Amino acid sequence: DYLTPNGGNDLIEEIRKIISMPVSTNKVIYFPDGEYIISKPIMTSSAGTKSISLKLAPNAVIKASDDWSKQNGAMIQLGAKDTTNNIDIVGANYHIEGGIIDGNGRADGISIEYGRETSIRNLTVINTETGVHFNNYGNVVDSDAENITIIGNGEPGSIGLHVEGSDST
């Protein structure tokens, strides 16, 4: 599946529709170069049978809308939908790769909420209070961050990488 950038319009419902389509394991949603405005978080599944990865072209930008609510949390929430972390099931093996995540000074960037064998790689996170958050409460284990550039929002208390430990995080 792929998305077409849409000159300033909110694309969250289109993205959520693609995510909720029946999938086989390891589906990839591709974002070609362009700007993608969202007003609510993109949430992927942590269930191995519903895993979805996000791949952004080098100049693809997912940007928080001007009316982003702080209560929304991070813009990209890996493993926040269909939450599971069961050692008897093969890990979800989902990831986000490439492009730019722009919090627009309003939103946090990326969080891994639940799951195993996950990764964040080869991307840039800008204009956020918290760039990347590996959450403890969701039993995030065996997760990796590789080749990430994080530029905060310039405010005191801005956090680049927030890692909460659990098992092998």
Side-chain angles (χ1 to χ4, degrees), residues 20-140:
S20 66
M21 295 168 106
V23 299
S24 58
T25 302
N26 297 322
K27 181 177 184 175
V28 175
I29 298 175
Y30 179 69
F31 294 76
D33 288 336
E35 187 174 70
Y36 302 85
I37 304 293
I38 59 171
S39 61
K40 296 177 185 163
I42 296 173
M43 293 186 262
T44 65
S45 177
S46 64
T49 58
K50 299 178 182 179
S51 68
I52 294 175
S53 294
L54 306 175
K55 181 160 178 65
L56 285 67
N59 294 308
V61 178
I62 298 177
K63 185 174 182 176
S65 67
D66 289 340
D67 60 348
W68 183 273
S69 172
K70 190 77 169 156
Q71 286 74 32
N72 285 339
M75 294 172 57
I76 311 294
Q77 298 178 14
L78 301 175
K81 185 175 184 281
D82 308 314
T83 57
T84 184
N85 185 2
N86 184 335
I87 61 171
D88 296 326
I89 300 172
V90 175
N93 293 306
Y94 54 81
H95 68 275
I96 182 170
E97 178 176 10
I100 300 165
I101 306 302
D102 182 351
N104 195 15
R106 295 166 165 72
D108 290 339
I110 302 170
S111 65
I112 297 182
E113 299 292 326
Y114 280 83
R116 301 174 18 248
E117 293 94 31
T118 60
S119 68
I120 301 170
R121 57 185 183 243
N122 304 321
L123 57 81
T124 299
V125 179
I126 61 174
N127 301 319
T128 60
E129 184 174 327
T130 299
V132 176
H133 183 199
F134 288 83
N135 251 325
N136 179 35
Y137 72 85
N139 290 321
V140 173

